């Protein structure tokens, strides 16, 4: 009787699931449109009152993106006032879109990966994922892996797409 062998396990492939670098924080939006008079004008007195009375604690350890969805011209100081109030609570805060925030969070997780564990290893990026910004995540993780890995593949062990293979120097 033949013993069944797990060729994938024996191959030394390391499977990296892209979900491991996806943001795990709650993402919250602050839209300045809600603070505008007739969605057009920012009145400083009312705005400063809102800044003072707003419950900033609800942003504790959350990722926040600040923007204005109306076509109003917002003075720079308006964003800075929010920043000065939220900075003690929010883990990450940006002026921009939700997409920009998610990309920043992905990049932050990638920057915290200890690349030594992947040095001269055969890595496969697990392709099945319905994560937001997955293409961005695959691209960014590949940028940091290519200089250190022996080979990089995409997909599943049984059906992968070769991405990179270190050339041996003779």
């Amino acid at each position: 009787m033949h013993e069944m062998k797990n060729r994938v396990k024996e191959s030394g492939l390391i499977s990296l699931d892209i979900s491991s670098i996806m943001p795990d924080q709650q993402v919250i939006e602050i839209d300045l449109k809600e603070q505008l008079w007739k969605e057009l004008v920012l009145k400083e007195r009312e705005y400063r009152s809102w800044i003072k009375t707003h419950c900033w604690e609800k942003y504790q350890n959350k990722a926040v993106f600040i923007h204005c969805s109306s076509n109003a011209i917002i003075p720079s100081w308006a964003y800075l006032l929010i920043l000065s109030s939220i900075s003690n609570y929010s883990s990450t805060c940006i002026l921009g879109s939700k997409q920009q925030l998610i990309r920043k969070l992905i990049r932050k997780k990638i920057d915290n990966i200890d690349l030594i564990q992947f040095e001269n290893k055969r890595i496969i990026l697990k392709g099945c994922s319905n994560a937001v910004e997955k293409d961005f995540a695959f691209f960014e993780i590949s940028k940091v892996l290519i200089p250190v890995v022996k080979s990089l593949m995409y997909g599943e062990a049984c059906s992968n797409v070769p991405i990179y293979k270190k050339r041996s120097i003779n």
Side-chain angles (χ1 to χ4, degrees), residues 7 11-12 14-16 33 38 40 47 58 64 66 70 84 86 89-90 102 110 136 142 153 162:
R7 289 186 182 172
S11 72
I14 297 174
S15 180
L16 180 61
K33 174 182 164 182
K38 295 189 178 184
L40 294 172
Y47 185 70
K58 70 181 180 181
V64 180
I66 303 165
S70 79
S84 70
I86 202 172
Y89 301 102
S90 173
I102 290 171
I110 291 171
F136 176 81
S142 296
M153 294 161 272

Side-chain angles (χ1 to χ4, degrees), residues 7 63 85 105 169:
R7 289 186 182 172
S85 297
L105 294 172
I169 302 169

Side-chain angles (χ1 to χ4, degrees), residues 7-160:
R7 289 186 182 172
V8 173
K9 193 172 186 177
E10 290 176 358
S11 72
L13 275 177
I14 297 174
S15 180
L16 180 61
D17 190 342
I18 203 71
S19 66
S20 68
I21 59 171
M22 288 304 176
D24 48 11
Q25 299 164 282
Q26 183 180 356
V27 172
I28 298 181
E29 164 190 39
I30 296 178
D31 187 351
L32 287 188
K33 174 182 164 182
E34 299 164 14
Q35 303 311 315
L36 301 177
W37 176 72
K38 295 189 178 184
E39 296 184 8
L40 294 172
V41 178
L42 182 71
K43 292 185 174 183
E44 184 177 355
R45 179 175 289 152
E46 288 85 352
Y47 185 70
R48 285 185 178 274
S49 174
W50 174 76
I51 293 285
K52 283 182 184 174
T53 60
H54 189 71
C55 178
W56 298 106
E57 291 83 7
K58 70 181 180 181
Y59 303 100
Q60 187 73 43
N61 300 321
K62 309 274 188 320
V64 180
F65 66 102
I66 303 165
H67 71 108
C68 184
S69 62
S70 79
N71 288 329
I73 297 171
I74 306 296
S76 298
W77 57 260
Y79 297 114
L80 300 177
L81 282 174
I82 289 179
L83 180 61
S84 70
S85 297
I86 202 172
S87 61
N88 289 330
Y89 301 102
S90 173
S91 60
T92 304
C93 183
I94 69 155
L95 177 60
S97 68
K98 183 176 184 178
Q99 178 188 39
Q100 290 169 319
L101 176 58
I102 290 171
R103 286 181 172 198
K104 179 179 176 105
L105 294 172
I106 290 169
R107 194 62 231 184
K108 198 177 193 181
K109 277 196 145 183
I110 291 171
D111 290 343
N112 288 322
I113 293 174
D114 182 9
L115 294 176
I116 292 172
Q117 64 184 317
F118 301 115
E119 204 168 316
N120 291 315
K121 302 284 196 248
R122 298 175 66 221
I123 309 299
I124 187 160
L125 297 174
K126 194 170 176 190
C128 296
S129 175
N130 58 0
V132 223
E133 294 298 318
K134 71 176 182 179
D135 291 336
F136 176 81
F138 282 127
F139 190 84
E140 292 299 307
I141 193 69
S142 296
K143 281 191 335 191
V144 299
L145 288 175
I146 286 173
V148 299
V149 300
K150 182 177 183 177
S151 65
L152 183 64
M153 294 161 272
Y154 171 86
E156 297 297 326
C158 60
S159 61
N160 63 66

